[in-house]
Amino acid sequence: MKQLTELSPMERMIRQQVVERGIRDERLLNALRSVPREKFFLRETQNEAYADRAAPIGHGQMISQPYMVALMTHRLDLRPEHKVLELGTGSGYQTAILARLAGQVYTIERVKPLLDEAFERLMELGIRNAHFRYGDGTLGWPEEAPFDRLLITAGAPEVPRELLLAQLKDGGLAVLPTGPEDDQMLVEVRRRSNTLQTTDVCPCRFVKLIGKEGWEEC
């Protein structure tokens, strides 16, 4: 086995930040390897792409740290036949990882310049199973519902029940951060008929989810 100093920055990130923290799913690790993370950073911060922290991507938004992307994706338990709804496209990095693992990904972003940039990045990577929409993510994508999986990459004040009950399949799974800005919890939500079963995963910190079932825009 190669020493850490002999590995590429990407492999070192995967080894130290993902595998050593308990995520060993080879499909997920290969998805991480297939997406050059630096392409999703601002030019002036590309040298920080593989660091163990979140980073700004402009417009007051952030790209999550590599471990959080891996953890949220791991908890979704994605399969090639799954249809996924993502709220908060951001840079498009998480979208690209989802697209490597699921059948179809539908992603919504309320900041138009971020959405446009993410679309261009995924096109350059040859990803054709991701679909983009500009608007309030908490309204979902009704004409494509129901979804097998739902991922929210911004913190909601509470679980968006209306969205999940309307657009998540019975038996489907959602992963999202909830709670006040300074005390968020990453949760896993399973829909069982008309009930939502919530399991805490770990404390976290995300930008606010703005929208009908999120926070009001300041």
Side-chain angles (χ1 to χ4, degrees):
M1 182 180 292
K2 286 186 176 181
Q3 298 298 311
L4 285 175
T5 54
E6 299 177 286
L7 299 175
S8 68
M10 179 185 287
E11 279 300 323
R12 198 155 52 242
M13 174 197 83
I14 292 170
R15 175 90 63 85
Q16 291 182 308
Q17 300 177 42
V18 181
V19 175
E20 290 183 6
R21 291 176 181 168
I23 297 176
R24 299 184 174 88
D25 177 354
E26 279 300 323
R27 284 186 70 236
L28 173 51
L29 299 181
N30 287 333
L32 292 170
R33 290 185 180 102
S34 74
V35 179
R37 186 170 159 88
E38 68 275 6
K39 288 187 178 295
F40 296 83
F41 275 64
L42 300 171
R43 185 175 291 106
E44 59 269 26
T45 59
Q46 283 185 345
N47 62 334
E48 301 174 19
Y50 296 100
D52 187 15
R53 58 180 175 270
I57 55 173
H59 306 279
Q61 303 302 301
M62 306 287 286
I63 182 172
S64 296
Q65 71 183 113
Y67 173 68
M68 188 56 69
V69 172
L71 176 64
M72 294 178 80
T73 308
H74 179 62
R75 298 300 295 229
L76 278 178
D77 189 26
L78 293 170
R79 296 290 176 262
E81 66 273 15
H82 282 164
K83 181 194 281 192
V84 182
L85 176 63
E86 178 191 35
L87 310 190
T89 313
S91 70
Y93 179 69
Q94 174 75 78
T95 314
I97 301 299
L98 297 175
R100 296 296 198 205
L101 296 166
Q104 300 293 325
V105 178
Y106 295 80
T107 185
I108 308 174
E109 173 57 57
R110 70 181 188 88
V111 180
K112 188 63 162 58
L114 288 180
L115 187 73
D116 293 342
E117 291 163 10
F119 174 81
E120 293 298 332
R121 291 182 182 115
L122 268 67
M123 291 302 100
E124 286 177 13
L125 290 172
I127 294 172
R128 298 293 184 266
N129 61 330
H131 313 273
F132 298 80
R133 170 170 283 187
Y134 169 59
D136 177 359
T138 70
L139 299 177
W141 203 314
E143 59 270 35
E144 292 295 339
F147 296 93
D148 301 285
R149 298 290 186 265
L150 195 152
L151 180 69
I152 303 180
T153 60
E158 56 189 28
V159 172
R161 296 184 57 82
E162 185 178 333
L163 171 67
L164 298 190
L165 290 174
Q167 298 192 29
L168 187 64
K169 278 185 181 178
D170 190 6
L173 184 65
V175 173
L176 62 144
T178 64
E181 190 174 10
D182 58 353
D183 187 26
Q184 294 174 345
M185 177 64 66
L186 185 67
V187 298
E188 186 178 290
V189 184
R190 178 77 69 174
R191 180 182 174 188
R192 302 289 188 195
S193 187
N194 290 321
T195 64
L196 300 173
Q197 300 174 346
T198 303
T199 303
D200 289 351
V201 178
C202 66
C204 61
R205 183 149 192 186
F206 284 78
V207 298
K208 287 183 176 180
L209 177 69
I210 307 297
K212 180 173 178 284
E213 281 201 272
W215 300 92
E216 289 186 9
E217 189 161 12
C218 297

